[in-house]
Amino acid sequence: MDPNRLAALLGTAAEILDEASAPFIAGHRADSAVRKQGNDFATEVDLAIERQVVRALTEGTGIGVHGEEFGGEPIDSELVWVLDPIDGTFNYAAGSPMAAILLGLLANGEPVAGLTWLPFMGQRYTALVNGPLYNNGEALPQLGSPTLADSIVGIQTFNIDSRGRFPGRYRAQVLANLSRECSRVRMHGATGVDLAYVAGGILGAAISFGHHIWDHAAGVALVRAAGGIVTDLAGEPWTVESKSALAAAPGVHQRMLEIVKAAGSPEDYL
């Protein structure tokens, strides 16, 4: 893809997310509006921001959007924006600042641009596929090679009794194994925030047991642009079909993968 066009698309998208930040901030602690699967929900602000951003992106870039709340263009389109209007909805509704707007651009299924806005934190992460990573317009250095023991690691929240692809007891074992080497594990409750913080060097690694493309598209682009590594929990390169994600700095990823694999097969915990 032409680098100049890609840069122009990123600039347009950044302006659109800047405009969406005002209603995002104004709607903090919004009530539940739409009950989703399990105990998940969307707020009225989720719905309004998605409508606003989808309309602006379609008009401003001519590229369709696949959003968390309303769906849209297929993710295997030649070009498609992937939007999560509020990552960390429970945080957002409860008043926590750990919430973000996530926007990734996929080209034939590959993340080529990522934008993660944390309006309450004043952080705006952007990157194109070949880097560098920017925060508020300032280029950040490529990720180094820290040790796991010296890193902060993000991991998703979970219910110990949950079943499914990655049962709660499997996740607990991964956490237990990790705790023996890293005593700085964090549960932020927002996958996209974790991935952006890996890219920015705040976290050394992050584990996602989820598969939703809107949680990952932007962050994968950011981490890769910063020189990080993103695979699934089996160690295969992350794709839009992946059912999990392990993002880390180069010096941490392999050790994280070994710790995850030491937990055994998720099916053994059903």
Side-chain angles (χ1 to χ4, degrees):
M1 187 175 180
D2 177 55
N4 291 328
R5 184 191 178 201
L6 195 55
L9 290 172
L10 186 71
T12 299
E15 293 176 359
I16 290 169
L17 293 196
D18 282 344
E19 293 174 0
S21 292
F24 185 100
I25 293 172
H28 207 199
R29 305 197 70 148
D31 291 333
S32 170
V34 178
R35 182 66 57 178
K36 303 201 293 190
Q37 184 176 1
N39 64 348
D40 198 7
F41 68 88
T43 70
E44 289 285 5
V45 185
D46 287 87
L47 309 179
I49 289 178
E50 183 160 320
R51 293 188 187 100
Q52 175 182 331
V53 173
V54 168
R55 180 172 58 252
L57 283 171
T58 303
E59 294 175 355
T61 70
I63 298 171
V65 184
H66 184 95
E68 176 181 5
E69 307 304 337
F70 299 114
E73 294 296 311
I75 61 172
D76 60 355
S77 301
E78 182 178 356
L79 283 173
V80 60
W81 296 105
V82 179
L83 171 68
D84 186 345
I86 301 180
D87 175 51
T89 306
F90 272 88
N91 292 348
Y92 182 84
S96 166
M98 299 302 290
I101 307 173
L102 312 179
L103 182 64
L105 180 63
L106 301 181
N108 297 311
E110 284 293 315
V112 294
L115 304 93
T116 296
W117 259 228
L118 287 82
F120 302 119
M121 311 295 285
Q123 295 170 318
R124 302 159 64 253
Y125 291 96
T126 59
L128 299 178
V129 61
N130 294 318
L133 172 74
Y134 292 88
N135 182 16
N136 294 333
E138 179 182 350
L140 301 182
Q142 289 277 287
L143 294 174
S145 297
T147 65
L148 177 56
D150 292 331
S151 298
I152 303 173
V153 175
I155 191 169
Q156 284 182 321
T157 56
F158 60 91
N159 179 336
I160 190 67
D161 292 323
S162 65
R163 300 174 68 82
R165 184 176 293 111
F166 298 105
R169 286 175 173 77
Y170 168 78
R171 302 184 191 201
Q173 187 60 55
V174 171
L175 179 57
N177 292 348
L178 178 58
S179 72
R180 294 185 176 97
E181 190 161 338
C182 175
S183 61
R184 301 176 180 88
V185 180
R186 304 289 184 265
M187 292 185 176
H188 294 129
T191 300
V193 173
D194 279 352
L195 294 177
Y197 280 0
V198 171
I202 296 170
L203 301 180
I207 294 175
S208 169
F209 297 106
H211 66 280
H212 295 305
I213 183 62
W214 50 79
D215 287 331
H216 297 95
V220 169
L222 297 179
V223 173
R224 288 178 173 171
I229 301 168
V230 190
T231 66
D232 62 16
L233 295 185
E236 296 298 320
W238 184 91
T239 72
V240 295
E241 303 297 330
S242 294
K243 306 304 181 185
S244 60
L246 172 57
V252 177
H253 187 274
Q254 181 59 38
R255 183 59 189 140
M256 285 288 298
L257 190 59
E258 292 167 357
I259 288 172
V260 169
K261 289 185 174 181
S265 172
E267 289 80 8
D268 295 338
Y269 293 81
L270 289 173

